[in-house]
Amino acid sequence: MSQAPCPIVVLISGNGSNLQALIDQSADGGYVICGVISNKPDAYGLERAARAGIPTRVIRHQDFPDRESFDRQLMAQIDSFAPDLVVLAGFMRILSAAFVNHYAGSVLNIHPSLLPAYRGTHTHERVLEAGEKEHGVSVHFVTEELDGGPVVLQAVVPVLPGDTRDGLAARVAQQEHRIYPRAVSLFAAGRLRMQGNEAWLDGERLGASGLREYAS
């Protein structure tokens, strides 16, 4: 008897290219996107979801007096879908401790750097300014520490001579679209878990870099 797909909710704020990758690979990934929620009503990702027949909701953070009250409403909307996993796909909000604890071990995020290096924003520019030879992307579990949860997967992208911010960002995005659905599929299959603030795959603890792959 086949296992029922793992229900997930995806949170977005913008274009939704990672959401599209998740949609495109959901049929073979063992998961189903039961809802997409955005804090911005003009996020193009909402159109992507609607075209795929996925229910969407908008919760404008400007309508709330503080982060905690916004997160309470966000949690209520997420819980109405009863997901097993919450996936952050370009969701440009820092989440409160109450939110992170409510979904402990059940929130994944993707970040355009080889964590723990270059947490925060403007990672491509900072990598180029530092003269790094490698850049990349990390999928990690979300904890209260910003971009600090245990890493699950990383894809390493070489920094090429003469690279520009846009060129480097485009190559990193290609790897994002490849590894994020894979990480979600591993969780959906029951193979990936967070225990004791560490990522575990198939019963074995992953190292600080998770599973690291090198893009050609």
Side-chain angles (χ1 to χ4, degrees):
M1 185 175 179
S2 61
Q3 180 179 337
C6 172
I8 74 171
V9 165
V10 182
L11 307 186
I12 64 169
S13 294
N15 179 57
S17 64
N18 274 308
L19 168 63
Q20 189 65 58
L22 290 163
I23 291 171
D24 292 344
Q25 299 183 51
S26 61
D28 298 322
Y31 60 88
V32 59
I33 303 173
C34 51
V36 171
I37 302 174
S38 176
N39 64 313
K40 295 187 176 181
D42 59 348
Y44 182 66
L46 293 169
E47 294 186 32
R48 297 179 187 270
R51 286 201 302 266
I54 300 169
T56 63
R57 295 179 188 171
V58 175
I59 311 172
R60 287 167 33 95
H61 59 271
Q62 298 95 329
D63 295 339
F64 296 84
D66 50 45
R67 189 188 315 278
E68 288 72 22
S69 57
F70 170 80
D71 279 6
R72 282 195 295 271
Q73 178 61 22
L74 180 59
M75 287 187 284
Q77 293 297 320
I78 292 171
D79 289 348
S80 72
F81 290 110
D84 289 343
L85 178 68
V86 178
V87 179
L88 310 183
F91 187 61
M92 303 305 291
R93 295 283 301 169
I94 296 175
L95 297 165
S96 64
F99 183 100
V100 172
N101 291 329
H102 184 67
Y103 299 107
S106 299
V107 186
L108 288 176
N109 184 46
I110 192 160
H111 181 75
S113 81
L114 298 174
L115 293 173
Y118 299 100
R119 300 179 184 182
T121 59
H122 306 296
T123 60
H124 310 305
E125 294 92 335
R126 290 158 61 199
V127 163
L128 290 172
E129 289 170 1
E132 301 282 6
K133 290 182 169 54
E134 291 182 334
H135 188 27
V137 58
S138 305
V139 178
H140 65 96
F141 282 107
V142 174
T143 62
E144 291 185 44
E145 183 181 4
L146 180 64
D147 298 329
V151 174
V152 174
L153 287 174
Q154 287 187 333
V156 180
V157 174
V159 179
L160 304 177
D163 247 339
T164 63
R165 180 240 178 243
D166 290 344
L168 182 57
R171 296 204 314 282
V172 170
Q174 287 181 334
Q175 298 305 313
E176 291 181 24
H177 303 159
R178 183 179 65 82
I179 70 170
Y180 211 7
R182 181 178 165 202
V184 173
S185 294
L186 289 171
F187 185 95
R191 299 175 56 192
L192 174 66
R193 290 290 181 266
M194 186 178 85
Q195 299 174 1
N197 204 39
E198 294 176 321
W200 292 71
L201 180 64
D202 295 332
E204 295 188 6
R205 183 174 59 83
L206 295 173
S209 300
L211 295 176
R212 176 170 277 199
E213 303 173 352
Y214 288 80
S216 56

PDB file of all heavy atoms in Angstrom, residues 25-37:
ATOM      1  N   GLN A  25       7.850  19.389  -9.160  1.00  0.00           N
ATOM      2  CA  GLN A  25       8.385  18.094  -8.748  1.00  0.00           C
ATOM      3  C   GLN A  25       7.551  17.404  -7.675  1.00  0.00           C
ATOM      4  O   GLN A  25       7.950  16.356  -7.155  1.00  0.00           O
ATOM      5  CB  GLN A  25       9.828  18.288  -8.279  1.00  0.00           C
ATOM      6  CG  GLN A  25      10.736  18.840  -9.383  1.00  0.00           C
ATOM      7  CD  GLN A  25      12.178  18.964  -8.966  1.00  0.00           C
ATOM      8  OE1 GLN A  25      12.768  18.005  -8.453  1.00  0.00           O
ATOM      9  NE2 GLN A  25      12.775  20.132  -9.172  1.00  0.00           N
ATOM     10  N   SER A  26       6.388  17.959  -7.374  1.00  0.00           N
ATOM     11  CA  SER A  26       5.572  17.386  -6.298  1.00  0.00           C
ATOM     12  C   SER A  26       5.007  16.016  -6.655  1.00  0.00           C
ATOM     13  O   SER A  26       4.872  15.149  -5.783  1.00  0.00           O
ATOM     14  CB  SER A  26       4.438  18.342  -5.923  1.00  0.00           C
ATOM     15  OG  SER A  26       3.583  18.579  -7.030  1.00  0.00           O
ATOM     16  N   ALA A  27       4.667  15.805  -7.920  1.00  0.00           N
ATOM     17  CA  ALA A  27       4.034  14.543  -8.314  1.00  0.00           C
ATOM     18  C   ALA A  27       4.924  13.347  -7.997  1.00  0.00           C
ATOM     19  O   ALA A  27       4.436  12.286  -7.595  1.00  0.00           O
ATOM     20  CB  ALA A  27       3.687  14.567  -9.801  1.00  0.00           C
ATOM     21  N   ASP A  28       6.237  13.532  -8.164  1.00  0.00           N
ATOM     22  CA  ASP A  28       7.184  12.441  -7.912  1.00  0.00           C
ATOM     23  C   ASP A  28       7.902  12.595  -6.573  1.00  0.00           C
ATOM     24  O   ASP A  28       8.748  11.763  -6.238  1.00  0.00           O
ATOM     25  CB  ASP A  28       8.227  12.388  -9.036  1.00  0.00           C
ATOM     26  CG  ASP A  28       7.597  12.113 -10.388  1.00  0.00           C
ATOM     27  OD1 ASP A  28       6.644  11.309 -10.452  1.00  0.00           O
ATOM     28  OD2 ASP A  28       8.050  12.717 -11.384  1.00  0.00           O
ATOM     29  N   GLY A  29       7.545  13.647  -5.816  1.00  0.00           N
ATOM     30  CA  GLY A  29       8.307  13.937  -4.605  1.00  0.00           C
ATOM     31  C   GLY A  29       7.717  13.405  -3.326  1.00  0.00           C
ATOM     32  O   GLY A  29       8.312  13.560  -2.260  1.00  0.00           O
ATOM     33  N   GLY A  30       6.520  12.815  -3.398  1.00  0.00           N
ATOM     34  CA  GLY A  30       5.921  12.271  -2.191  1.00  0.00           C
ATOM     35  C   GLY A  30       5.291  13.307  -1.288  1.00  0.00           C
ATOM     36  O   GLY A  30       4.995  13.023  -0.121  1.00  0.00           O
ATOM     37  N   TYR A  31       5.068  14.521  -1.808  1.00  0.00           N
ATOM     38  CA  TYR A  31       4.440  15.572  -1.015  1.00  0.00           C
ATOM     39  C   TYR A  31       3.366  16.257  -1.852  1.00  0.00           C
ATOM     40  O   TYR A  31       3.364  16.185  -3.082  1.00  0.00           O
ATOM     41  CB  TYR A  31       5.466  16.609  -0.534  1.00  0.00           C
ATOM     42  CG  TYR A  31       6.221  17.323  -1.639  1.00  0.00           C
ATOM     43  CD1 TYR A  31       5.726  18.481  -2.222  1.00  0.00           C
ATOM     44  CD2 TYR A  31       7.441  16.829  -2.100  1.00  0.00           C
ATOM     45  CE1 TYR A  31       6.408  19.123  -3.235  1.00  0.00           C
ATOM     46  CE2 TYR A  31       8.135  17.463  -3.112  1.00  0.00           C
ATOM     47  CZ  TYR A  31       7.620  18.619  -3.677  1.00  0.00           C
ATOM     48  OH  TYR A  31       8.308  19.247  -4.693  1.00  0.00           O
ATOM     49  N   VAL A  32       2.442  16.930  -1.173  1.00  0.00           N
ATOM     50  CA  VAL A  32       1.401  17.700  -1.845  1.00  0.00           C
ATOM     51  C   VAL A  32       1.345  19.078  -1.197  1.00  0.00           C
ATOM     52  O   VAL A  32       1.377  19.203   0.034  1.00  0.00           O
ATOM     53  CB  VAL A  32       0.028  16.996  -1.769  1.00  0.00           C
ATOM     54  CG1 VAL A  32      -0.403  16.767  -0.326  1.00  0.00           C
ATOM     55  CG2 VAL A  32      -1.034  17.778  -2.523  1.00  0.00           C
ATOM     56  N   ILE A  33       1.331  20.117  -2.018  1.00  0.00           N
ATOM     57  CA  ILE A  33       1.241  21.478  -1.508  1.00  0.00           C
ATOM     58  C   ILE A  33      -0.232  21.790  -1.282  1.00  0.00           C
ATOM     59  O   ILE A  33      -1.000  21.943  -2.226  1.00  0.00           O
ATOM     60  CB  ILE A  33       1.866  22.479  -2.493  1.00  0.00           C
ATOM     61  CG1 ILE A  33       3.330  22.100  -2.782  1.00  0.00           C
ATOM     62  CG2 ILE A  33       1.802  23.899  -1.917  1.00  0.00           C
ATOM     63  CD1 ILE A  33       3.980  22.940  -3.870  1.00  0.00           C
ATOM     64  N   CYS A  34      -0.625  21.865  -0.014  1.00  0.00           N
ATOM     65  CA  CYS A  34      -2.042  22.069   0.296  1.00  0.00           C
ATOM     66  C   CYS A  34      -2.395  23.535   0.450  1.00  0.00           C
ATOM     67  O   CYS A  34      -3.589  23.888   0.491  1.00  0.00           O
ATOM     68  CB  CYS A  34      -2.444  21.275   1.530  1.00  0.00           C
ATOM     69  SG  CYS A  34      -1.398  21.501   2.972  1.00  0.00           S
ATOM     70  N   GLY A  35      -1.405  24.420   0.535  1.00  0.00           N
ATOM     71  CA  GLY A  35      -1.681  25.840   0.634  1.00  0.00           C
ATOM     72  C   GLY A  35      -0.428  26.665   0.431  1.00  0.00           C
ATOM     73  O   GLY A  35       0.677  26.215   0.728  1.00  0.00           O
ATOM     74  N   VAL A  36      -0.616  27.868  -0.112  1.00  0.00           N
ATOM     75  CA  VAL A  36       0.466  28.844  -0.267  1.00  0.00           C
ATOM     76  C   VAL A  36       0.010  30.134   0.392  1.00  0.00           C
ATOM     77  O   VAL A  36      -1.085  30.636   0.122  1.00  0.00           O
ATOM     78  CB  VAL A  36       0.801  29.091  -1.751  1.00  0.00           C
ATOM     79  CG1 VAL A  36       1.766  30.268  -1.906  1.00  0.00           C
ATOM     80  CG2 VAL A  36       1.392  27.836  -2.387  1.00  0.00           C
ATOM     81  N   ILE A  37       0.840  30.679   1.277  1.00  0.00           N
ATOM     82  CA  ILE A  37       0.508  31.893   2.017  1.00  0.00           C
ATOM     83  C   ILE A  37       1.577  32.939   1.752  1.00  0.00           C
ATOM     84  O   ILE A  37       2.773  32.644   1.782  1.00  0.00           O
ATOM     85  CB  ILE A  37       0.408  31.614   3.525  1.00  0.00           C
ATOM     86  CG1 ILE A  37      -0.654  30.534   3.805  1.00  0.00           C
ATOM     87  CG2 ILE A  37       0.081  32.891   4.295  1.00  0.00           C
ATOM     88  CD1 ILE A  37      -0.719  30.093   5.262  1.00  0.00           C
TER      89      ILE A  37
END
